[in-house]
Amino acid sequence: MTTPSADTGIREGIRALMQSPFTPGTIGAIAALAREPHERRGYAAPRIARDLAYGRDPRQRLDVHYTDASSKPAPVLLWLPGGGVNASKWMPGTPWEDNVGAWTCRLQAVAVIIDHRLPPEHTWPSAARDVACAIEWVRTNIAEYGGDPERIVLAGVSSGAAHVASFIAGHGGDNPAGVLAVAVASGIYDPSAVTEMPYKHIVGTHFGTDENELKARSSVAGLAAWPGPLLVTVTEFDPPTFHEQAILVLNERFRVRGALPHFAVVPGHAHGSDVLSLGVDDSALDLMLRELLAEISA
């Protein structure tokens, strides 16, 4: 697998931004740091099949990022974007999240990036069920795009990571057939343990507010028990809530399996910026995701 070139100015810029309080404008400033190097390098895969239906709901749509260059079936990265109630697989005219698809194709793999049903109309466990439907779509259709339905890395960031974990914990009501590895970046896994605002409020929109229900909706035990390769990451400048959530998974993984999962604190990055920078910054997330794809490609 090839290694994308780095633009270390992104991390330097993020470190400078993190010297001030995080505001909604900070997200836009981080996106601006990554946009120019993405546009210079090219953030679109050679081929993209847009808005393919994997269910009946208008939100149950996915994009396939692929290339015709592969001579054998390629591993598949099934990706859930973050964004909470505004999660989106694509923002036209921007690198979001086309950069994930282009990055994946450079590694001789196929990316499937999905939209899923959103609160307030659709709450837990709707997104986990959508993951199950998307996996079934991949297993049935991905060979048409050069992908191997038996070699899937299931991954997500932020709210996407929470839904991936929920699916792996069994909340989606399906067997993760074909999923060989799992990666979760900066997610919420035990909603009952979130006390920091505004994250407690955001958790409530997805998981509800009843304390007993929140405890039952934790994915920590199920994610930690996942028998295959597991990658858990947070960023250096993630809020404390996300570091605490990662520690819960690490502790439980060690308790039940006697070893930690693959784990990284991504230096120089803030919440979600490590994903936005895939393809133009050789971050720890970049390295470890490449390792997961290589592991299932061997």
Side-chain angles (χ1 to χ4, degrees):
M1 290 188 175
T2 58
T3 302
S5 60
D7 190 313
T8 56
I10 293 173
R11 273 180 274 180
E12 293 171 359
I14 291 170
R15 287 186 184 277
L17 288 170
M18 292 301 104
Q19 301 306 307
S20 301
F22 193 93
T23 69
T26 308
I27 299 172
I30 291 173
L33 288 171
R35 181 165 186 161
E36 191 277 331
H38 273 308
E39 290 179 342
R40 185 173 66 245
R41 180 173 176 81
Y43 58 78
R47 292 181 176 271
I48 306 174
R50 299 272 190 204
D51 293 324
L52 304 178
Y54 67 90
R56 295 181 179 179
D57 190 274
R59 282 284 307 177
Q60 292 174 313
R61 298 293 183 270
L62 58 80
D63 294 345
V64 180
H65 302 248
Y66 66 107
T67 175
D68 291 332
S70 179
S71 59
K72 61 181 180 179
V76 179
L77 178 67
L78 177 54
W79 183 266
L80 270 71
V85 298
N86 298 307
S88 176
K89 63 181 172 57
W90 181 43
M91 291 185 183
T94 77
W96 184 287
E97 302 240 324
D98 278 0
N99 70 296
V100 176
W103 174 87
T104 304
C105 286
R106 292 184 191 118
L107 301 176
Q108 292 81 55
V110 174
V112 177
I113 305 177
I114 79 166
D115 276 340
H116 56 79
R117 292 171 293 172
L118 296 171
E121 292 83 7
H122 302 281
T123 56
W124 183 95
S126 294
R129 290 173 177 164
D130 288 352
V131 174
C133 291
I135 289 173
E136 182 58 30
W137 186 96
V138 168
R139 289 181 57 78
T140 302
N141 298 284
I142 204 62
E144 178 182 345
Y145 304 92
D148 186 342
E150 301 298 332
R151 292 190 294 158
I152 301 170
V153 174
L154 177 61
V157 60
S158 193
S159 61
H163 302 321
V164 165
S166 193
F167 168 76
I168 291 297
H171 304 161
D174 206 352
N175 187 318
V179 176
L180 298 188
V182 174
V184 287
S186 301
I188 299 295
Y189 315 112
D190 182 356
S192 71
V194 177
T195 59
E196 183 183 6
M197 286 295 187
Y199 309 107
K200 184 176 179 64
H201 171 72
I202 294 170
V203 162
T205 65
H206 287 271
F207 294 93
T209 57
D210 182 273
E211 289 300 321
N212 290 325
E213 288 183 349
L214 288 176
K215 290 178 182 178
R217 292 170 181 178
S218 170
S219 60
V220 171
L223 180 62
W226 162 252
L230 172 64
L231 169 62
V232 180
T233 71
V234 291
T235 66
E236 178 181 352
F237 299 114
D238 259 323
T241 287
F242 297 95
H243 288 200
E244 292 166 354
Q245 290 284 310
I247 290 169
L248 291 175
V249 176
L250 298 183
N251 284 339
E252 182 65 8
R253 180 78 166 190
F254 187 80
R255 188 186 73 80
V256 299
R257 300 192 64 83
L260 293 175
H262 304 307
F263 174 68
V265 178
V266 184
H269 277 283
H271 190 77
S273 73
D274 50 346
V275 172
L276 186 59
S277 299
L278 281 176
V280 293
D281 177 43
D282 293 343
S283 70
L285 178 65
D286 181 307
L287 171 65
M288 298 188 83
L289 280 176
R290 280 191 279 121
E291 290 293 329
L292 271 192
L293 284 165
E295 189 169 342
I296 72 165
S297 298

